[in-house]
Amino acid sequence: MTRTLKMPVAVLTSLLIAGCGSGGILENRPSPALTGPAIPAVPVQDPLRLNSFTANPCSVLGRADVAALIADPPDEVKAERYSVGYDRACKWDQFRAGSLTVGIPRAATGSLEERVDQHRRDPSNFSHWRELSISGLPAVEQVGNPPAFEYNGSTLNACTVEVGVTDSELLEFNYSQVNDTKSQYWGDDRCAAALKAAELVIGNLRGR
């Protein structure tokens, strides 16, 4: 005679959830970034100090942050300082998941107010443009035109979020993916990933 083992639904559910999340360090899927309506680029009402970012750009994201943004677990995500087009920047990369660059663009890029003015004069430079706010700071979300470009023989798709941290300074968040690559939590929604990166980095810097 075969006996059927009955297991309480709550226990079974917890085991299934644990099994689905095995190998990762996050207990829950990261929530989308909280954004607000567009606000004036100047004056910035609550400026963000960048001292700690300037000293060590790669320290601005913790292990759990990298897991939420790139790959969970983040053991194979490479972090390195990055200088192309930036005064200070760090790049987190895992080829089959995505690449995030957070940096202070070189002065020639201009302030967020100048970027908004440039777009209004010539909107054809972007296939997607949205003005918004995040963590109380003015920001724009943009995708270049054309939206994809070639890099080292691969096709890259990217979304960039620029945040006005002071009246004259920008912090830029660029999230790119190769070809049809999808990240674990964001799929191919690169703008959602870039916005989440902005939210996490701003929160970390405000806590320092």
Side-chain angles (χ1 to χ4, degrees):
M1 180 177 179
T2 303
R3 295 184 61 190
T4 302
L5 179 62
K6 293 184 177 181
M7 185 177 294
V9 174
V11 175
L12 179 59
T13 301
S14 64
L15 288 175
L16 289 173
I17 292 174
C20 291
S22 60
I25 67 170
L26 300 184
E27 294 183 0
N28 299 300
R29 186 183 187 89
S31 60
L34 293 175
T35 61
I39 59 177
V42 292
V44 175
Q45 299 297 327
D46 188 13
L48 184 67
R49 294 176 59 85
L50 297 178
N51 298 33
S52 58
F53 181 85
T54 302
N56 186 2
C58 293
S59 70
V60 78
L61 289 176
R63 181 173 163 82
D65 298 329
V66 176
L69 295 169
I70 308 292
D72 186 13
D75 303 333
E76 296 181 8
V77 178
K78 182 180 179 181
E80 60 182 353
R81 292 200 180 199
Y82 191 73
S83 60
V84 179
Y86 297 93
D87 285 334
R88 294 284 190 281
C90 186
K91 182 176 183 179
W92 293 264
D93 180 74
Q94 185 176 338
F95 182 75
R96 298 310 307 168
S99 176
L100 169 68
T101 303
V102 180
I104 302 171
R106 289 180 180 161
T109 302
S111 66
L112 187 66
E113 183 182 37
E114 291 171 320
R115 297 289 283 157
V116 171
D117 286 343
Q118 289 169 10
H119 174 259
R120 289 173 180 166
R121 289 195 300 269
D122 186 7
S124 65
N125 289 326
F126 301 97
S127 63
H128 167 75
W129 175 276
R130 180 167 71 114
E131 296 175 32
L132 65 150
S133 58
I134 185 163
S135 302
L137 296 169
V140 296
E141 172 190 277
Q142 55 179 261
V143 175
N145 188 23
F149 58 95
E150 296 295 321
Y151 180 76
N152 286 344
S154 298
T155 301
L156 284 179
N157 292 275
C159 180
T160 300
V161 170
E162 292 181 325
V163 179
V165 295
T166 71
D167 290 355
S168 59
E169 292 178 297
L170 285 177
L171 197 55
E172 183 178 285
F173 304 82
N174 180 277
Y175 197 95
S176 63
Q177 291 173 316
V178 176
N179 301 326
D180 296 326
T181 296
K182 293 186 177 182
S183 73
Q184 186 169 350
Y185 294 122
W186 306 101
D188 58 2
D189 194 343
R190 291 166 284 275
C191 287
L195 286 170
K196 188 63 179 181
E199 182 183 69
L200 290 172
V201 167
I202 293 168
N204 291 340
L205 290 174
R206 290 227 189 271
R208 296 184 183 182

